[in-house]
Amino acid sequence: SDAELQIERRFVPDECPRTVRSGDFVRYHYVGTFPDGQKFDSSYDRDSTFNVFVGKGQLITGMDQALVGMCVNERRFVKIPPKLAYGSEGVSGVIPPNSVLHFDVLLMDIWNSEDQVQIHTYFKPPSCPRTIQVSDFVRYHYNGTFLDGTLFDSSHNRMKTYDTYVGIGWLIPGMDKGLLGMCVGEKRIITIPPFLAYGEDGDGKDIPGQASLVFDVALLDLHNPKDSISIENKVVPENCERISQSGDFLRYHYNGTLLDGTLFDSSYSRNRTFDTYIGQGYVIPGMDEGLLGVCIGEKRRIVVPPHLGYGEEGRGNIPGSAVLVFDIHVIDFHNPSDSISITSHYKPPDCSVLSKKGDYLKYHYNASLLDGTLLDSTWNLGKTYNIVLGSGQVVLGMDMGLREMCVGEKRTVIIPPHLGYGEAGVDGEVPGSAVLVFDIELLELVAGLPEGYMFIWNGEVSPNLFEEIDKDGNGEVLLEEFSEYIHAQVASGKGKLAPGFDAELIVKNMFTNQDRNGDGRVTAEEFKLKDQEAKHDEL
């Protein structure tokens, strides 16, 4: 009957974690009408909710009763009899005496002075090595809504994280408390009563006074200004003869990610190692430190706080104040002062004849990088590699590594890049600044000539040498006569040409050096032996 309070629940939300109780503070919208439909008041017209405590005499009795049990976003149609409204007196000029009042009520917000921050974690990563503590600096995304779900702010819409210190007064008190204990990657909903948010006055812009706030937060990053780098050794080789030191030159692969796993850079995508000196400021301070003490072949994770990375400004696609995670794989390293390293694995019982400059060598090898990547192999080609030692036919490190070696010996020679192919490498074959490993087996050694000689006599030199070469006795020697004579001496064992070189070219050079006037013929006056002409290497 019109004498009793009537409540019609026109809409009830599916989720209703809490209902209005006496003593709660509520914010609601309403339209007030008389039974004939005439409107006498509306909060919508004032563009402001009605904010009040329930059950404390701040409302007419009927509304105090009608609001109890309501959910946020619930809509009720309420008929209030005069005895529970303004009675026989009414409100002058607004509510006639003995008026029945109709209210269409939509509840927007509810809180109690005893409320605390409410936290609901709906995702937590499997690994959580560290959580937010007071004085930590965090980067997070959020959606900020009122209790009714109305969005008032979003970092996602700005496409930029919210970056701040926690627990030192940079945030509203409820947010300071609600973020504590979060893991990177965690997602939680933080509900904050207004007295721990923006209170009676709101923020003066988007947040009204006495508004409860709901923040849906995803934590992306976390560090403390006192943090140093952290290192997680993931794979350490069993054999580690040497660890990296300041001043070494490293080649390594890496994936660079943010703490939430977002990839910002990768050497693998470029199919090329990152090559740098360490401990000398060529890389960010955190990496300079994190790359010290590594083994060749080691894999480790280096976590770099922003003050040891790219700081508050960031760089490129690295946000400001971002913690960086580098998963590295060390391919090789060396020091510019390094020489070659030789390890002999096998020497035959008779190892008295050792290779020296000028010797002609035939050997097999496997060439690889320090990580085991095969570059080349004479065994695979089925033929030896042949050189004259000390003649510049191989890189300097290989020339050094083949010395004092006997036939049948097997050794491993490690060559730093400055004694190998240097910073440039060999396009498509040897990476720049690569340390090389050669597994060598010497198969044949032909002794070379003394330094400075391309031809020697094995016995006494004929006192009539010119006459022997000048077979037709015309007093001059042509190239054909000279070449025929030298080759005959080599064939008989009386003479020897330097092994490993083009014999015809050697003979031609010998002849040219004797042909003082360059007329294509050598006379007795022009002809001299080496001991007679110290500046020439022939005869």
Side-chain angles (χ1 to χ4, degrees):
S1 69
D2 287 344
E4 302 297 329
L5 176 67
Q6 297 180 38
I7 299 173
E8 178 188 347
R9 304 181 75 183
R10 292 193 170 180
F11 174 77
V12 181
D14 293 334
E15 295 186 8
C16 184
R18 174 177 180 174
T19 60
V20 177
R21 295 176 297 175
S22 181
D24 286 344
F25 190 93
V26 296
R27 295 191 309 114
Y28 62 92
H29 271 303
Y30 70 89
V31 176
T33 62
F34 299 117
D36 63 359
Q38 180 184 350
K39 181 170 68 174
F40 63 82
D41 193 14
S42 172
S43 63
Y44 296 101
D45 294 343
R46 294 188 296 274
D47 196 26
S48 175
T49 56
F50 192 76
N51 307 335
V52 69
F53 281 99
V54 176
K56 292 189 176 183
Q58 297 179 2
L59 292 163
I60 57 176
T61 304
M63 189 60 84
D64 248 347
Q65 296 176 9
L67 291 171
V68 172
M70 281 193 80
C71 308
V72 172
N73 283 329
E74 182 177 345
R75 184 181 177 192
R76 287 185 175 184
F77 184 74
V78 183
K79 293 181 182 181
I80 303 178
K83 66 179 182 179
L84 298 178
Y86 295 100
S88 59
E89 295 183 3
V91 177
S92 178
V94 180
I95 307 294
N98 297 314
S99 293
V100 175
L101 305 180
H102 293 185
F103 289 92
D104 190 344
V105 179
L106 177 63
L107 187 65
M108 310 295 291
D109 198 347
I110 173 176
W111 57 271
N112 192 284
S113 59
E114 297 179 356
D115 285 349
Q116 298 297 320
V117 174
Q118 298 177 40
I119 297 172
H120 168 61
T121 297
Y122 63 93
F123 176 78
K124 196 165 187 175
S127 174
C128 183
R130 175 175 176 178
T131 62
I132 297 177
Q133 307 294 323
V134 170
S135 80
D136 283 343
F137 190 91
V138 297
R139 297 192 311 113
Y140 61 91
H141 270 303
Y142 70 89
N143 285 325
T145 65
F146 302 122
L147 275 188
D148 68 342
T150 301
L151 184 74
F152 65 80
D153 191 16
S154 173
S155 64
H156 298 281
N157 292 345
R158 293 191 297 274
M159 299 183 68
K160 188 178 187 304
T161 56
Y162 193 80
D163 308 342
T164 185
Y165 287 95
V166 177
I168 63 171
W170 285 28
L171 292 162
I172 57 175
M175 201 62 167
D176 255 345
K177 184 175 182 180
L179 290 171
L180 292 176
M182 280 192 82
C183 309
V184 171
E186 183 176 340
K187 297 179 181 180
R188 62 169 55 171
I189 294 174
I190 303 170
T191 304
I192 304 174
F195 55 87
L196 295 175
Y198 292 95
E200 295 182 9
D201 298 326
D203 70 346
K205 297 181 293 182
D206 303 313
I207 300 173
Q210 302 291 24
S212 300
L213 305 181
V214 180
F215 291 92
D216 191 340
V217 177
L219 184 62
L220 300 186
D221 202 342
L222 158 68
H223 77 277
N224 194 283
K226 298 178 180 179
D227 287 347
S228 59
I229 66 168
S230 64
I231 295 174
E232 177 186 343
N233 289 326
K234 302 179 75 174
V235 178
V236 180
E238 292 183 4
N239 297 322
C240 184
E241 297 179 359
R242 172 179 168 185
I243 59 174
S244 60
Q245 300 175 349
S246 181
D248 285 343
F249 190 89
L250 263 73
R251 296 195 315 117
Y252 63 95
H253 272 302
Y254 70 90
N255 283 324
T257 64
L258 306 179
L259 269 186
D260 67 345
T262 301
L263 183 73
F264 64 79
D265 193 16
S266 173
S267 64
Y268 296 99
S269 65
R270 296 188 293 274
N271 197 29
R272 191 182 189 284
T273 56
F274 190 81
D275 308 339
T276 185
Y277 288 96
I278 61 169
Q280 298 186 349
Y282 286 87
V283 290
I284 57 175
M287 284 300 277
D288 243 351
E289 182 181 350
L291 290 170
L292 293 174
V294 296
C295 304
I296 292 170
E298 181 174 340
K299 296 180 180 180
R300 66 165 51 172
R301 171 168 288 184
I302 305 170
V303 181
V304 181
H307 54 276
L308 297 175
Y310 293 101
E312 295 181 5
E313 300 300 321
R315 177 181 293 183
N317 58 349
I318 298 175
S321 299
V323 177
L324 309 179
V325 180
F326 292 93
D327 287 301
I328 68 160
H329 180 199
V330 180
I331 303 302
D332 69 30
F333 64 81
H334 72 280
N335 195 282
S337 63
D338 287 348
S339 184
I340 64 169
S341 168
I342 298 175
T343 303
S344 183
H345 305 292
Y346 171 75
K347 287 186 178 182
D350 180 9
C351 192
S352 56
V353 178
L354 301 179
S355 58
K356 64 184 183 306
K357 183 177 180 180
D359 288 349
Y360 181 62
L361 308 181
K362 294 184 179 182
Y363 61 94
H364 270 308
Y365 70 84
N366 282 328
S368 62
L369 303 178
L370 276 181
D371 66 351
T373 301
L374 185 67
L375 300 177
D376 191 18
S377 173
T378 57
W379 277 289
N380 291 345
L381 296 175
K383 60 180 181 179
T384 58
Y385 199 77
N386 310 327
I387 67 160
V388 176
L389 199 56
S391 64
Q393 296 176 355
V394 289
V395 295
L396 181 57
M398 192 63 168
D399 205 298
M400 296 165 64
L402 288 167
R403 300 200 180 199
E404 297 185 359
M405 194 173 184
C406 59
V407 174
E409 183 178 346
K410 298 178 182 179
R411 60 170 56 170
T412 297
V413 180
I414 299 176
I415 303 175
H418 52 276
L419 297 174
Y421 292 98
E423 295 182 9
V426 179
D427 189 31
E429 297 181 35
V430 180
S433 299
V435 178
L436 305 179
V437 180
F438 286 90
D439 291 309
I440 302 168
E441 181 180 1
L442 183 58
L443 300 182
E444 187 176 336
L445 184 157
V446 178
L449 303 188
E451 187 170 356
Y453 288 82
M454 297 300 286
F455 173 86
I456 61 171
W457 296 97
N458 290 327
E460 294 294 327
V461 182
S462 171
N464 302 314
L465 181 58
F466 183 80
E467 288 75 9
E468 289 183 11
I469 300 175
D470 182 21
K471 287 187 177 182
D472 58 10
N474 65 352
E476 58 184 26
V477 175
L478 300 179
L479 176 60
E480 291 77 8
E481 292 177 285
F482 187 83
S483 177
E484 181 181 349
Y485 180 82
I486 294 298
H487 284 299
Q489 304 311 302
V490 171
S492 66
K494 296 179 180 179
K496 181 179 180 180
L497 290 168
F501 295 99
D502 185 332
E504 292 300 329
L505 184 60
I506 293 175
V507 173
K508 184 176 180 181
N509 286 338
M510 291 167 63
F511 177 83
T512 301
N513 286 336
Q514 293 295 319
D515 181 14
R516 314 287 171 167
N517 60 11
D519 62 356
R521 51 182 61 84
V522 177
T523 64
E525 290 75 15
E526 293 176 297
F527 191 79
K528 289 183 175 64
L529 296 178
K530 183 173 177 63
D531 59 355
Q532 298 169 330
E533 185 66 80
K535 66 179 180 179
H536 292 297
D537 293 342
E538 296 78 20
L539 294 179

